[in-house]
Amino acid sequence: MYRCATFVVFLVLGIAIQLSNGTEVNVKDKDNNLCLYAKLMVNFRVSYEVAVNEILTAEFKLPASVASDGSTCDNTSSTLKLNFGEGHSWSVNFTTEGKMYQVDTITFSYNLSDASIFPNSTSTETTTIYVKPQIKDVGVDTCYSCESEDTYVTDSVRQTLWNVLIQAFVINNSTSENITPCAADVSPTTPAALTTTTTSTTTTSTTTTSTTTTSTTTDAPVTNSTTTDAPVTNSTTTDAPVTNSTTTDAPVTNSTTTDAPVTNSTTTDAPPTNSTTTAPPPTPTPTPTLPAPTTGKYKLQPDVNSTACLLADFGLRFKVKDEEMNFEPNGTAVTGKCEVNSSELLLTSSTVTIKFTFTNDTKKFRLHALNVTGKTSSGVAFSAANTNLSLWEAAVGSSYMCNKEQNYTISADLSIYTFELRVQPLAVKEGIFSTAEDCQADGDSFLVPIAVGVSLLVLILIVLLAYFIGRKRNMTVGYESF
């Protein structure tokens, strides 16, 4: 309970220092009051290219010397930004909801031109990746604590957090003595573990791991494996149905009562008519006629202070075998990354996760890969991927637009439908769409009026030609009469 308060003695330093078990950071507001406190350990594992089809992996940790320039905090939002090395940074954005706060985004930027970490790298770019964790329901006047290991994996980057202690909104210039622990730290035997398990599991899904601490990270999964003991106790609850199976013995005695209505077997002909009355319920199956999906407007920003590097507007529908469902943009988490010749858009809702991968080929961008996992409205899990697509192609520096409904087959079991589609995954300027290139379907919509116009013009020409021919004949006849 007093773990957070024990570090108050360090607050007067006003700098970021690293103790034996982590990096400790104190962020102060413009009035020089403590507004954000953090103590944590972070390890990174990054794969990068050194030659064609040759990949190396760099492993490093959040160093002892970090700068907190760019960290901010106010009453409703705060940002912890740690800068280190030659152009690397790691930041966390927090927002409040009433008396609770949550983590919105974890952003990690690494400079591939730093030869001390990425020797022989073929790229000199600074790459930024985003993670949407679900650390939430943390009391404003409490410290979030998680000694267990959390792992976040995004493409070629793996991040590991542990020994985390954060109070994103410090009140009255003093850290709180109250702790909100992650579920992995809570004993599975206590009832509280059940209430915090959902929070911790979403937290672990957003954390990143590092191989330098593999020996310690394996300890955390051991504790997590013990959490599966709780479902074991739940499995004992399945014994109750066993006792219920004994109640099915009563219908066995009832089966003897059915011997009496043997003469009433003719009366049993009535129930078949009742079976026909049960047939109508299957008929109310106008469910396939779904309404048009809501158009989501998504944008990807390298950080909160920069303009968008990827824009996408569309309504989306999935067809899994014979079942259709609309993708709901409200509450969807938007993450991804933007690079010079490629970009990724990751949309995560409560039921579906979909990843779009765009590439730049010969000065034209296209949707190159699509990966979808989720559950249908009936609870059926599905997963499909296609890494050999050539969709939504347009020149780099422009956007692709297709207002009409389009159907794309991703796999044997999955098709997607798009509505009011417009995307620009590369070369976005000033955070707005550039001039759009229409899809062929929209272009066909102009053919009908053009064809009608041409037909009318030909008809007019025929009428005029017939008129002049007829008039000329009448004139010749008039001359001959004289």
Side-chain angles (χ1 to χ4, degrees), residues 111-134:
N111 181 15
L112 289 171
S113 65
D114 185 356
S116 63
I117 298 180
F118 306 104
N120 304 319
S121 173
T122 58
S123 174
T124 59
E125 298 177 353
T126 297
T127 301
T128 302
I129 61 103
Y130 307 86
V131 175
K132 177 67 176 180
Q134 295 187 16

Side-chain angles (χ1 to χ4, degrees), residues 58-123:
E59 299 178 13
F60 54 100
K61 64 182 180 180
L62 191 66
S65 178
V66 297
S68 58
D69 298 341
S71 298
T72 60
C73 45
D74 56 36
N75 294 331
T76 58
S77 64
S78 62
T79 300
L80 172 66
K81 185 175 183 181
L82 306 180
N83 306 293
F84 61 96
E86 297 182 12
H88 314 295
S89 67
W90 186 85
S91 63
V92 186
N93 294 329
F94 306 87
T95 57
T96 60
E97 289 187 1
K99 296 182 179 181
M100 299 290 180
Y101 69 88
Q102 62 187 12
V103 176
D104 282 344
T105 309
I106 294 178
T107 305
F108 174 46
S109 297
Y110 55 96
N111 181 15
L112 289 171
S113 65
D114 185 356
S116 63
I117 298 180
F118 306 104
N120 304 319
S121 173
T122 58
S123 174

Side-chain angles (χ1 to χ4, degrees), residues 423-441:
V423 294
Q424 186 170 350
L426 298 168
V428 177
K429 296 180 180 180
E430 299 180 357
I432 58 175
F433 282 110
S434 300
T435 303
E437 294 186 15
D438 291 334
C439 63
Q440 186 63 36

